[in-house]
Amino acid sequence: MKFGIIVFPGSNCDADCYHVIKEVMNQPVEYIWHKENTVAGFDALILPGGFSYGDYLRTGAIARFSPIMPAVIDFAEQGGLVIGICNGFQILLEAGLLPGAMLRNRSLKFICKPVFLKVNRADTPFTNHMKVDQVVRIPVAHGEGNYFCDQNTLQSLKDNGQIIFTYCSEDGQELPEFNPNGSLANIAGICNIKGNVLGMMPHPERCSEEILGGRDGFYIFDSMINWLEEVGK
Amino acid sequence: MFKANIFVTLKNGVLDPQGEAVKKSLKVLDYGQVEEVRIGKYIEVWLEGGDRDSALKELEEMSDRLLANPVIEDYRVEIVEVE
């Protein structure tokens, strides 16, 4: 069950992800520098948070053309598990692996705080150790997490069950006042139609151990490992 | 040599928090007649060789692939011949 963490110039959550996979989940993990051109031998890929290429032009716009990306896209198209967290989500959007785009937060502020998320599906590779309608507490840390797409795309996200996480209150109400950044339909995380690619703004790697004040993020990585073990059988 | 001026703007209907903040600030400065402010990007590109048509085609391809994100942005390319 080997995890690969793609490291772009400006990634800054790569070491946190590495720590969680290696020390908390006890799985083999390696960094993959963005100048590599293969992901052969890996079972799952993590695109970590940060400010790849300084977020120049648009978040994720330049990282999307890194030498490693054709291999990441190919891996995703073959059904490989890919999770993009924060800047990783932005890169997946720019790469077209997920639909939509990110705008500046409605408040124009960089928001760094724990938020509550509702889990909308528990049958995906990323949420199979969670429950439908479960509320989890995971921190966000971003300036551009205001998810946007056109109405047709939003409808197809809903119809295909691609909205995996939505911002909500502690008791699970998905109201605008619990939306930190203005994202459409309180979207915090979406997957592709096949379900093997997930993008999310909150940072599960920052809350996978009790010492960090909560371990709800643990269940996302745990779900991925469980799914890989099931599929591997 | 050609010089291109590329204007990248948010599509109609796409929220522009920066434009909103600047609009509020203009109101504070007493410019009461301001109705709306939208902020975009202005990109200059210089190209060597080829003719005007091929340069324009190339610039549109650059805009589609990298300079603008078609989900949220429109772009307009102006091209002038320079020394």
Side-chain angles (χ1 to χ4, degrees), chain B residues 28-63:
Chain B
V28 170
L29 293 174
D30 268 342
Y31 294 104
Q33 71 275 39
V34 173
E35 282 293 316
E36 194 177 6
V37 178
R38 307 276 288 167
I39 295 180
K41 297 186 187 107
Y42 167 57
I43 302 169
E44 298 176 305
V45 180
W46 285 265
L47 299 94
E48 189 65 77
D51 59 19
R52 197 183 188 86
D53 285 350
S54 67
L56 188 62
K57 208 174 147 216
E58 197 93 326
L59 287 156
E60 284 176 347
E61 191 183 298
M62 290 177 206
S63 302

Side-chain angles (χ1 to χ4, degrees), chain A residues 75-207:
Chain A
F75 182 81
E77 283 171 353
Q78 309 277 326
L81 288 195
V82 179
I83 179 171
I85 301 165
C86 198
N87 191 226
F89 184 8
Q90 294 162 339
I91 296 167
L92 293 177
L93 292 171
E94 284 284 340
L97 285 173
L98 294 171
M102 286 297 174
L103 299 171
R104 286 277 181 96
N105 291 347
R106 187 176 43 191
S107 63
L108 286 176
K109 288 180 181 142
F110 186 96
I111 302 164
C112 188
K113 65 174 187 185
V115 296
F116 293 104
L117 307 176
K118 186 180 255 187
V119 180
N120 296 313
R121 276 179 63 184
D123 59 346
T124 77
F126 308 94
T127 55
N128 57 74
H129 272 189
M130 301 169 114
K131 294 190 184 74
V132 173
D133 290 340
Q134 182 181 350
V135 175
V136 293
R137 186 170 174 267
I138 297 181
V140 291
H142 60 250
E144 300 189 44
N146 183 350
Y147 179 83
F148 178 85
C149 63
D150 63 35
Q151 284 302 315
N152 290 339
T153 306
L154 179 63
Q155 195 55 49
S156 82
L157 287 175
K158 288 179 177 171
D159 293 346
N160 295 312
Q162 290 172 257
I163 303 174
I164 304 302
F165 299 114
T166 38
Y167 298 112
C168 67
S169 63
E170 189 167 3
D171 59 354
Q173 297 181 69
E174 298 153 289
L175 297 171
E177 56 263 45
F178 303 110
N179 181 339
N181 52 31
S183 71
L184 205 63
N186 280 33
I187 286 173
I190 58 171
C191 69
N192 60 348
I193 289 180
K194 269 161 63 183
N196 63 304
V197 178
L198 175 80
M200 64 187 295
M201 288 314 292
H203 287 270
E205 80 283 8
R206 294 191 187 180
C207 62

